[in-house]
Amino acid sequence: MRTLKLRLHTLYRAAGAPSVVGIAELVAQDDELPGAPSKDTVHRLLGSAQLASLEDTVSVAAVLASAAGAERAAVDTEIRALWVRAGLERGTTLRPAGRWDPLWLGVHPAPDTDGSGDGPLPLYLERPHDVTLRRRLGHAAHSGSTVFVLLVGRSATGKTRAAWEGVREALPDWPVLFPSDARELAAWTAQNGIDGRTVLWLDETQRYLSGASGEEAARAVLRLMEEVAPLAVVGTIWPEHLRRLTEGGQDRWGPGPEAGAGAGAGAGAGHHVRALLTGRHVVIDVPDTLPARVPGLTGAAARDPRVAAALRAAGSSGRMLQHLTSGPALVGRWESGPDHWFSAAEYAVLTAALDARRLGHASAVPARFLSEAAAGYLDARARATAGPDWFAEAVESLTTAHGAVPAALIAERHRPGVGAPDGYRPDDYLDQHARRVRALSVPPAGFWEAARRARTGDDAHALATAAADRRRYGVALSLYERAAELGSGRARASWAVLLEITDGPGAAEAVAAGDPGAWAALGAFREDASGPVVAEAAYARAAGLGDAWSWSALARIREGGDGSGDAVAEAATAAGHTVVWRVLGRIREARGDRSGGRRPLERAEALGDAWGTMGLARLAERDGDRAAAVRHAERAAAAGMTAAHPLLVRLHWNGEDRSAAQEAARLGAAVGEAEGWAVLARLREADGDPAGAAAAYRAAVRLGMSTAWSRLALMAERADDRPAAEEWAALAARAGDGDAWTALAELRQSRSDLPGADQAAREAGLVGGVEAWTSLARARELEGAPDAAESAAEHAAEHGSPLAWGALSRMRERAGDRPGSRRAVRRAVDLGAVEAWTALGRVREDGGDTAGAERCYLRGAAAGDTAALAALGPLLAGSGRMAEAREAYRRAVDAGHTEAWEGLLSALATLPPRPTGVRPTGVRSTDRLRRVGLPVTAEASEAPGPGGAGSGSPGFV
């Protein structure tokens, strides 16, 4: 790469350093040249570490050679050879979206009606989210800003196709970089290999952001977005993966990410991932159904027989896109069971792969894992008659498309070099379906034994956690050990805590050994279970091993005990951890000891901790000493603490020094802090100065504070200046922020301006603000306009959110409209909100309708909502139906609902001693569960024990 770039630069200098525009024009004028590079591509070729296409590279070299008087043929041969070597070294080339094969980027193929899969993509049907996406990408191009656009939707809803079409339309000349995994993404960023005016393509974003390597990748993307502009980061993700990555991301035990750098187990785990996914980016919901009216649909069906066939197959469901990729056909074949479309061996391998992915194995499942696990899904006859090549034959069939039905498994290779696949992942559409229908199923024992073959430490850790959640503790201990062997940084902490539960402190401490994170996790677990005194020794060990968070925990415990927090803080300072002083200050302030809290904050300040200075400022403000508060805040600002400027604005305003307050806001703006202007705007607004408030909000907007748009729009709307309000909202929308339109919709709804509210909601929806329609649906239901409420809910659904229908079901239930409630909840579930039945059941239970609540919980469980069975357990127990309650609790535990375990133990405690030789009689819940299609445990597993899952699984500990 360096040699190629040096040769090009030499030619460029010899040619007289022409402009990149001039070079691009010279290439365009020469019909014999193969490439057509834009000026941006020429700039990258000459001034970055990126590799453009071969055609563009040799074309630029040719015109430079001509201008330099060199022999073009010799230069062409030389550049081609260097390009090949550089391409092998680098592994990526620069191609805009239009020159990528969309299937390589993850777009689902659409088989032809004759079953072949080699045809072009079907005609594209634009939906509301396409307008949102293209506007946002276009804004990045025109304004020179950086944007992260995340398309959220279920499988086969057209997320990736929409992203490809949007980038092709809005950023036609920007190259699309598609890293193969999290490590390559982090490596590109570390090498400064991604320039501005580039699209970073993160299809299936969860692949890049899971596990320890995901943290590294998220940190890299955050840094990239700070340092490179303009840039477009485009990702796609399922809703369940987004929830997992934003709501989870850390271990069950140990401090959270707010504990600070160097914290114990799980500290910071997922912190950068959550920061990336919850930060300033555009989330675009992609619905899995088509809107009622899609422009061009009739014409597309007339021109493309695949579209027509998908429309016929979808019927009134609106799920035409799924049928276009034959996803439902594949699901139907799998649901027919073994020895129908799939042989027993094929069905076993496929189901094992589906379970592995469902339980957390994020990467492709290794072949050895699948071959060992699949045996547990075969009956005795199938295992005896499978034949010596059963696995190879099964995989060959599963990775082959059959007619119009796509391959059930996708082969991948992760070992270096080219060769046979070493891992497999199931088809996305089938994967998502199986997560729902198998949500209450526990894999057989052979699956857990094979799980030690997991590809990475993160995969093994995820499977171990799934086993622990289901109280398969023996399995979980083995898998945590394996995860630690594979290099998972979190595994030893989880392993140690689980050993504390099963084998006691001695075994846990032996595993913790010299791992500070494991000791910190033990401390947190012991404190939660037995109190701070019991946890002290573990925290002390973690602190001694260098865990910064544990010093703070130890100081907190000592401060509440013998009052020796200062001694701990001094020891922490000697070890290089000064944050403990600040922690002590907050502890003492919280218990009302302001004088005692001041001393550690002064010590923190003396050690160079500007947050200590901020703490002193806030203490002085609470004590009413404004002058002292100003002095401390000014020292904090001088030390680079940008948060001091908004505090100074408030302090000066409260001291009636308006000019000083404005100057504090201006100084904050000089270092990029917009909050000072926002604080000043709110103070002016409360003081009856709308003009001054608007000026301050505008200053905040110029610094990138998106919430200021909404305030400006609302101020104008309340002043009956609708054109100005809509202008502010439109400006916010161009920057990708729909909150201003959402706020206008809600304000107009409250004023009974229904047409105006609808207009604002439509505009909000175009920028991803689907919550505006949800809010309108609620408001119109409360006003007694059910038709208008349903129309708003359907608009929300068209933008990808079923929440409005779920809300309507609960509102109508409380109002006594049972038919309307049922209609709304069914629509919500049809749109993918399986939790809607459980939420409705809770409303009925609160209203005293236990029979109706039970029906809702059973339907929710049948739809795959694990919380439904956990809710059913106490309902049944409260009615005295303990056998049925035990069954519901057991199924909830099997499904991984950790809160159901205590309920199961309580229900088991009511069992009378069983006489020898007497088996339990049938239980009514078994019949009820079977009637709604739920698996039930065997009667032999009435109490926890080996084999208790009724499917060959290890029993509960």
Side-chain angles (χ1 to χ4, degrees), residues 213-251:
S213 57
E215 268 295 280
E216 182 183 358
R219 187 185 302 113
V221 174
L222 287 167
R223 182 171 72 83
L224 183 69
M225 292 171 65
E226 285 289 326
E227 298 176 357
V228 177
L231 177 76
V233 182
V234 179
T236 67
I237 196 169
W238 294 357
E240 50 264 47
H241 289 316
L242 182 60
R243 284 194 297 271
R244 173 177 59 84
L245 290 170
T246 53
E247 296 174 3
Q250 66 185 64
D251 287 318

Side-chain angles (χ1 to χ4, degrees), residues 56 87 108 116 209 223 319 372 488 505 520 600 630 674 701 846 933:
D56 288 344
H108 281 291
S116 64
L209 302 183
R223 182 171 72 83
R319 289 191 170 86
E372 293 181 10
S488 170
V630 168
V701 162
D846 290 343

Side-chain angles (χ1 to χ4, degrees), residues 458-485:
D458 289 336
D459 291 328
H461 186 276
L463 293 173
T465 302
D469 286 345
R470 289 157 177 79
R471 293 310 192 267
R472 270 66 183 174
Y473 283 165
V475 171
L477 289 170
S478 174
L479 288 175
Y480 280 136
E481 181 178 11
R482 178 58 178 155
E485 292 170 359

Side-chain angles (χ1 to χ4, degrees), residues 265-345:
H271 172 65
H272 290 95
V273 171
R274 286 192 296 277
L276 176 64
L277 294 177
T278 60
R280 289 188 59 191
H281 65 285
V282 179
V283 172
I284 299 176
D285 291 303
V286 180
D288 62 352
T289 57
L290 291 180
R293 292 174 297 278
V294 181
L297 180 58
T298 303
R303 294 191 299 274
D304 192 331
R306 294 171 297 177
V307 176
L311 272 175
R312 289 193 299 270
S316 61
S317 71
R319 289 191 170 86
M320 185 272 282
L321 294 170
Q322 293 84 340
H323 286 277
L324 201 57
T325 61
S326 299
L330 178 58
V331 165
R333 293 187 174 190
W334 175 71
E335 286 194 324
S336 64
D339 295 322
H340 289 85
W341 287 102
F342 295 115
S343 70

Side-chain angles (χ1 to χ4, degrees), residues 644-888:
H645 296 286
L647 176 59
L648 281 168
V649 170
R650 189 176 70 246
L651 288 170
H652 287 309
W653 183 276
N654 292 337
E656 303 296 331
D657 191 343
R658 303 296 195 251
S659 61
Q662 180 165 326
E663 179 64 9
R666 189 191 65 78
L667 291 173
V671 293
E673 172 59 71
E675 182 61 29
W677 282 117
V679 169
L680 184 61
R682 290 193 293 270
L683 291 169
R684 286 176 173 174
E685 192 174 1
D687 199 42
D689 179 12
Y697 280 131
R698 283 195 293 270
V701 162
R702 287 193 291 271
L703 289 168
M705 176 172 278
S706 60
T707 54
W709 297 107
S710 299
R711 300 298 306 176
L712 284 166
L714 288 173
M715 285 178 64
E717 184 78 10
R718 291 192 181 104
D720 294 325
D721 188 353
R722 176 161 291 193
E726 295 187 348
E727 182 180 354
W728 288 120
L731 287 170
R734 287 192 204 112
D737 189 339
D739 287 347
W741 280 116
T742 299
L744 284 182
E746 293 173 351
L747 178 59
R748 290 174 180 179
Q749 173 68 36
S750 69
R751 292 178 163 187
S752 300
D753 177 8
L754 304 188
D758 281 349
Q759 178 224 350
R762 277 193 297 273
E763 294 292 341
L766 292 176
V767 200
V770 67
E771 64 276 4
W773 285 116
T774 303
S775 177
L776 291 186
R778 292 174 181 271
R780 291 179 183 175
E781 184 71 18
L782 288 171
E783 291 171 354
D787 291 342
E790 291 192 359
S791 175
E794 199 56 31
H795 279 298
E798 288 175 2
H799 286 83
S801 174
L803 298 179
W805 280 109
L808 288 183
S809 74
R810 297 187 293 277
M811 293 172 72
R812 290 175 178 178
E813 185 70 28
R814 293 188 184 100
D817 179 11
R818 181 64 61 89
S821 174
R822 280 197 298 266
R823 184 171 64 252
V825 74
R826 285 171 178 154
R827 181 64 177 141
V829 173
D830 285 345
L831 291 166
V834 297
E835 68 280 2
W837 277 119
T838 306
L840 180 59
R842 292 195 174 102
V843 172
R844 290 185 176 179
E845 188 174 358
D846 290 343
D849 182 7
T850 56
E854 181 180 351
R855 289 193 298 273
C856 286
Y857 293 148
L858 288 169
R859 289 191 175 98
D865 183 15
T866 59
L869 285 173
L872 182 61
L875 178 87
L876 296 171
S879 302
R881 296 152 61 186
M882 296 308 300
E884 295 173 83
R886 285 192 292 273
E887 188 69 32

